């Protein structure tokens, strides 16, 4: 079947391409009888304007660039779903950019975003830095960051307060007299780990204690499991806090392999919940993070930044988390 183009519409209506373009883009310089003639040709032929081509005429592309980390794409599924649902309501197209360390660098993605003339950028990337944000800012591109609290005139953010999450968790255990608490490093999510570490340290410092059980994974180890298998031969803790499910499972399995009973000898809490935590044996206690809402709210903030120029916009939106106790805690 032949694809109907703007040329076909112009020919059917007996007008210029420029006139068809003005009608499509809602220009008020077109005479009413001409506009009706063009709209009649569009309906007759079933022409559907290309969103990107239509946007170029308006210096807008009706597209939002979404940047996600390739290493954690499985964790971003619900975030993307929430974002897409809101984008559909406001008739925006989402262009996905995946950043993979050593393959696709953030600098290359930024270059592609600028060349594509995206209306805005939503970034879900834990390794983002200020220089990269400044580059996008210099092009006056609105940005919404998911997961990190950061904002200015052109930047908004939707986030979870991981520092407070870790603080509350640590306080709960310290109040029970449990001070042997460990936090496992996560090289894939350095910003979230820094937030968790600040929260744990804050709880210890308020009680005049020093937190010194941050378990760093040496670079020569390709996985947390390989290192923790050795670590728990000579170490044990009353409670271990890990960010994501695979690390919590590595703690659980290596503890069991080294004769450490969970939760009798050692409790485990995973910050980021997933379906796999409830599949583990014993099931892993964790926090429910509102992934879908992170994406949906981020897209709503973006639409406000793009359209509500005279409205005072809350550019820092904090979402809540819910603790789910399972079998790795007492």
């Amino acid at each position: 079947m032949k694809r109907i183009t703007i040329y076909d519409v112009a020919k059917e209506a007996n007008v210029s391409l420029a006139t068809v373009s003005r009608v499509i883009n809602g220009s008020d310089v077109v005479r009413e009888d001409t506009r009706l003639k063009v709209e009649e040709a569009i309906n007759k032929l079933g022409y559907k304007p290309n969103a990107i081509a239509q946007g170029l005429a308006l210096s807008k592309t009706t597209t939002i660039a979404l940047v996600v980390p390739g290493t954690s794409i499985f964790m971003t599924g619900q975030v993307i779903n929430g974002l897409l649902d809101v984008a559909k309501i406001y008739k925006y197209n989402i262009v996905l950019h995946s950043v993979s360390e050593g393959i696709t660098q953030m600098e290359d993605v930024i270059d592609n975003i600028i060349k594509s003339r995206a209306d805005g950028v939503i970034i879900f990337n834990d390794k983002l830095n200020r220089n990269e944000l400044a580059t996008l800012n210099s092009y006056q591109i609105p940005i919404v960051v998911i997961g990190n609290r950061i904002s200015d005139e052109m930047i908004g953010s939707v986030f979870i307060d991981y520092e407070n999450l870790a603080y509350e968790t640590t306080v709960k255990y310290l109040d029970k007299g449990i001070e042997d608490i460990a936090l496992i490093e996560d090289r894939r999510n350095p910003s979230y780990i820094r937030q968790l570490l600040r929260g744990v340290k804050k709880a210890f410092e308020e009680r005049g204690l020093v937190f010194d059980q941050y378990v760093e994974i040496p670079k020569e180890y390709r996985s947390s499991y390989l290192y923790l298998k050795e670590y728990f031969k000579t170490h044990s803790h009353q409670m271990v806090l890990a960010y994501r499910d695979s690390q919590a499972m590595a703690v659980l399995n290596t503890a069991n392999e080294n004769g450490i009973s969970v939760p009798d000898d050692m409790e485990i809490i995973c910050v980021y919940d997933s379906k796999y935590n409830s599949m583990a044996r014993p099931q892993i206690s964790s926090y429910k993070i509102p992934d879908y809402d992170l994406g949906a709210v981020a897209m709503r903030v973006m639409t406000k930044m793009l359209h509500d120029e005279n409205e005072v916009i809350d550019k820092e939106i904090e979402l809540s988390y819910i603790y789910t106790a399972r079998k790795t805690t007492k």
Side-chain angles (χ1 to χ4, degrees):
M1 182 178 178
K2 179 179 179 290
R3 179 175 174 270
I4 303 301
T5 70
I6 191 172
Y7 299 94
D8 299 313
V9 175
K11 183 177 179 181
E12 177 70 25
N14 195 27
V15 297
S16 68
L17 291 174
T19 297
V20 176
S21 179
R22 292 190 190 103
V23 172
I24 290 171
N25 292 305
S27 173
D28 56 7
V29 301
V30 181
R31 284 180 7 198
E32 181 65 10
D33 60 332
T34 302
R35 181 181 65 78
L36 291 173
K37 188 163 58 171
V38 172
E39 288 179 346
E40 183 180 341
I42 288 173
N43 291 330
K44 178 181 177 181
L45 299 174
Y47 173 66
K48 301 205 177 292
N50 180 280
I52 294 178
Q54 181 182 357
L56 289 173
L58 296 167
S59 295
K60 291 184 178 294
T61 59
T62 66
T63 63
I64 301 297
L66 171 62
V67 182
V68 298
T71 54
S72 301
I73 192 71
F74 72 95
M75 295 173 65
T76 64
Q78 284 300 310
V79 173
I80 294 174
N81 286 340
L83 195 149
L84 287 174
D85 285 348
V86 175
K88 287 177 186 175
I89 295 172
Y90 292 94
K91 299 186 177 357
Y92 274 97
N93 303 298
I94 302 299
V95 178
L96 182 65
H97 298 266
S98 177
V99 182
S100 300
E101 193 169 352
I103 301 174
T104 307
Q105 299 297 333
M106 190 64 190
E107 293 84 354
D108 298 328
V109 170
I110 289 174
D111 188 50
N112 289 332
I113 289 171
I114 293 167
K115 288 177 180 176
S116 71
R117 300 171 65 187
D119 293 338
V121 183
I122 296 178
I123 302 175
F124 186 25
N125 182 5
D126 195 36
K127 296 182 176 66
L128 186 72
N129 63 53
R130 274 282 184 181
N131 291 335
E132 292 161 348
L133 284 175
T135 300
L136 288 170
N137 253 343
S138 67
Y139 286 86
Q140 295 295 295
I141 301 175
I143 302 167
V144 176
V145 177
I146 297 177
N148 294 300
R149 179 184 236 150
I150 180 172
S151 65
D152 64 19
E153 186 178 350
M154 295 293 291
I155 303 175
S157 58
V158 182
F159 60 92
I160 302 297
D161 191 342
Y162 286 111
E163 179 176 337
N164 190 63
L165 182 155
Y167 171 79
E168 291 180 342
T169 302
T170 306
V171 165
K172 180 178 72 174
Y173 278 88
L174 291 177
D175 285 347
K176 294 190 293 186
I178 295 175
E179 298 179 5
D180 185 6
I181 299 170
L183 172 64
I184 307 296
E185 179 189 20
D186 188 342
R187 292 195 296 248
R188 290 187 181 179
N189 300 280
S191 175
Y192 299 153
I193 289 297
R194 285 194 296 270
Q195 293 176 57
L196 294 172
L197 184 56
R198 286 198 301 268
V200 175
K201 284 184 174 180
K202 178 182 175 183
F204 270 73
E205 288 168 0
E206 285 183 353
R207 286 158 178 73
L209 302 170
V210 176
F211 176 70
D212 58 1
Q213 301 282 10
Y214 179 51
V215 182
E216 296 184 76
I217 310 298
K219 288 189 171 129
E220 60 266 27
Y221 285 87
R222 296 183 62 186
S223 71
S224 301
Y225 172 82
L226 293 174
Y227 175 69
L228 293 172
K229 187 174 182 179
E230 298 300 315
Y231 178 83
F232 284 119
K233 286 180 179 179
T234 55
H235 298 78
S236 182
H237 303 282
Q238 291 175 288
M239 195 276 278
V240 175
L241 189 63
Y243 173 69
R244 57 189 157 93
D245 52 10
S246 60
Q247 284 200 309
M249 289 179 198
V251 173
L252 174 61
N253 291 336
T254 55
N256 287 333
E257 289 167 12
N258 283 288
I260 301 170
S261 177
V262 177
D264 295 333
D265 302 328
M266 183 170 75
E267 298 183 54
I268 302 171
I269 295 178
C270 177
V271 171
Y272 190 97
D273 195 16
S274 77
K275 63 183 180 181
Y276 300 108
N277 286 332
S278 59
M279 293 179 185
R281 291 296 179 269
Q283 296 179 327
I284 301 172
S285 298
S286 54
Y287 284 89
K288 175 60 181 173
I289 306 299
D291 305 46
Y292 181 92
D293 293 343
L294 282 169
V297 174
M299 187 63 210
R300 187 66 186 103
V301 171
M302 175 59 72
T303 62
K304 285 179 172 289
M305 292 175 68
L306 288 169
H307 299 291
D308 301 334
E309 296 179 0
N310 298 319
E311 181 181 338
V312 178
I313 303 171
D314 184 1
K315 291 182 181 173
E316 285 190 0
I317 298 182
E318 178 184 338
L319 301 185
S320 60
Y321 45 82
I322 300 173
Y323 178 64
T324 301
R326 295 194 179 99
K327 301 298 183 180
T328 57
T329 51
K330 299 175 183 176

